[in-house]
Amino acid sequence: MTPPLARFNAASAPEALDALREVCAGSSWGGRLLAGRPYASLDALLDASDAATAALDDSGLDEAMAGHPPIGRPAPGDPVSAREQRGMAGASDALKEELVELNLAYQEKFGHVFLICATGATARHMRDALAERLSHTAGQERAIARTELGRINRIRLTRLMAAPAASVSTHVLDTSAGRPAAGVPVALAARAGAKDPWTELGGSATDADGRCKDLPALPDDTTQVRLVFDTEAHLATTTPADPQQDAPALRDSGAFFPEVTVAFAVTPGEHYHVPLLLNPFGYSVYRGS
């Protein structure tokens, strides 16, 4: 696999600019980075980004800031701003409303969006920073916004040049029936480290072939994944074992395994197909291909 930095260096100018626009909306910033290719290392690229951010004139800084949604309101369908503002998850309605009001007051005073590097910041931290910065002069705020923009650009460039995130798929085979298990709901969660809390990413359900091909994308920093298979409804309709067979009959109380949870480690850039082989009184999982 060609390293991302090498692909960026070799990309056509339009392709490279498209990638850079995902990092920063400032056209002069992107033009400077494009002109500096090829880059020998990520550090060289980040240094060039810092220099390009520092060189932005007033209109260039305005253009770059305009590409960022307000804090507390990630752009719809934009996974980048949603990921960066993950600190808003779990914020109370009152705190969200306070952020909306502070954002409006800030934009009315300074004429541009409140810009802060939100990666790793909680909603309360962002609220407190916004309230404090409302007391600044316009000159102070533009200087701070430029610094925050530089931090954001560095984080986004680092992600852009990192190996792609891992991906996950699964299928469920009912080994007692000898056929795929259709309609089994599957929930996906991920976390960056063993001590981090799980983040619920969403889910899907197996199709007629027992496959689950459209699970949500994993965050870039994922190192562990959890799949939860809601097997109760499927197993509740499974034909009971033949009394002559040396196997227990289905219990009247319902499925013996109402759900199956599987957690496993992942490496960025790799795909993980993790099937579930299921029967009423046992299951197994493995890494497939």
Side-chain angles (χ1 to χ4, degrees):
M1 179 184 295
T2 304
L5 181 59
R7 290 201 305 272
F8 173 73
N9 283 332
S12 67
E15 290 174 335
L17 280 175
D18 283 345
L20 291 172
R21 288 191 193 100
E22 295 296 318
V23 175
C24 179
S27 56
S28 62
W29 177 90
R32 282 177 176 267
L33 264 64
L34 185 68
R37 293 188 304 168
Y39 295 96
S41 65
L42 174 60
D43 285 342
L45 177 61
L46 296 179
D47 288 344
S49 173
D50 290 343
T53 303
L56 289 171
D57 59 18
D58 284 343
S59 62
L61 182 58
D62 286 336
E63 181 185 26
M65 288 193 292
H68 290 266
I71 290 297
R73 288 184 289 163
D78 178 12
V80 175
S81 61
R83 179 181 60 235
E84 291 173 345
Q85 295 193 32
R86 277 189 295 185
M88 290 298 301
S92 67
D93 290 341
L95 182 53
K96 291 177 181 177
E97 182 61 30
E98 188 177 2
L99 274 166
V100 169
E101 293 175 359
L102 287 170
N103 267 310
L104 290 173
Y106 182 96
Q107 289 183 251
E108 183 176 350
K109 179 175 181 178
F110 297 112
H112 57 77
V113 70
F114 169 72
L115 193 62
I116 187 172
C117 183
T119 300
T122 65
R124 288 186 178 277
H125 171 81
M126 291 184 278
R127 186 272 314 273
D128 292 345
L130 179 47
E132 178 185 354
R133 286 169 55 181
L134 269 170
S135 65
H136 291 169
T137 65
Q140 288 175 314
E141 266 311 292
R142 291 188 75 81
I144 293 173
R146 187 186 298 272
T147 298
E148 295 296 313
L149 177 67
R151 294 176 61 199
I152 295 168
N153 289 348
R154 288 180 69 92
I155 290 172
R156 290 184 174 184
L157 274 174
T158 300
R159 285 201 177 105
L160 181 66
M161 298 303 154
S167 57
V168 174
S169 62
T170 186
H171 74 260
V172 182
L173 177 65
D174 186 332
T175 57
S176 65
R179 59 176 177 264
V184 175
V186 183
L188 174 67
R191 62 185 179 186
K195 295 183 179 180
D196 293 321
W198 290 103
T199 298
E200 301 293 340
L201 301 177
S204 184
T206 55
D207 60 18
D209 294 324
R211 296 188 174 274
C212 202
K213 304 174 183 176
D214 55 352
L215 289 169
L218 297 174
D220 294 339
D221 57 356
T222 298
T223 65
Q224 295 186 358
V225 170
R226 184 181 69 193
L227 294 173
V228 179
F229 300 84
D230 184 353
T231 54
E232 184 168 24
H234 175 79
L235 291 177
T237 61
T238 301
T239 303
D242 189 318
Q244 301 301 316
Q245 294 177 338
D246 186 17
L250 288 177
R251 298 184 174 187
D252 293 337
S253 58
F256 186 64
F257 293 114
E259 71 175 30
V260 173
T261 299
V262 181
F264 50 95
V266 299
T267 300
E270 294 196 25
H271 178 71
Y272 294 82
H273 184 64
V274 182
L276 171 66
L277 306 183
L278 179 68
N279 70 64
F281 296 98
Y283 64 85
S284 63
V285 294
Y286 63 96
R287 182 179 179 183
S289 60

